[in-house]
Amino acid sequence: MHAQNNDFIASASQSLYESNADEVTREKCRTRENYMCLERKLAEQEAALSEKDNALAEKDKLIRHLQKQLAETRSTD
């Protein structure tokens, strides 16, 4: 009787271990997928910010150029 109980307990224990191991693996996969998704979003945001920085730099360059032209025009008047 004790041997049967030990086999049954061992089998149940093994089943629980395998079920939990599968859940841990699934959770690791979900966590990794979430991480990768966040990394993609961050990369997209960084690219968008970089584009905006470049556009602002171009506008600043244009403003400086126009200010220089305005100053030259005023000095010749």
Side-chain angles (χ1 to χ4, degrees):
M1 183 75 173
H2 290 291
Q4 281 182 329
N5 285 341
N6 286 340
D7 288 342
F8 175 76
I9 290 172
S11 175
S13 174
Q14 183 65 28
S15 293
L16 283 172
Y17 173 80
E18 289 172 5
S19 295
N20 287 334
D22 288 344
E23 182 58 32
V24 168
T25 301
R26 284 191 292 274
E27 184 60 29
K28 285 181 181 179
C29 290
R30 282 191 293 268
T31 301
R32 184 166 191 252
E33 182 60 33
N34 288 340
Y35 172 79
M36 291 169 46
C37 182
L38 287 173
E39 285 294 311
R40 281 191 300 272
K41 288 178 182 178
L42 285 174
E44 290 170 3
Q45 288 178 346
E46 287 177 0
L49 286 173
S50 179
E51 286 180 29
K52 288 180 180 182
D53 286 345
N54 290 339
L56 285 173
E58 286 295 318
K59 288 180 181 182
D60 288 344
K61 183 179 175 182
L62 177 60
I63 288 170
R64 284 191 301 275
H65 175 72
L66 292 173
Q67 286 173 332
K68 183 180 176 184
Q69 281 184 339
L70 180 60
E72 288 172 358
T73 302
R74 287 182 177 166
S75 68
T76 58
D77 287 341

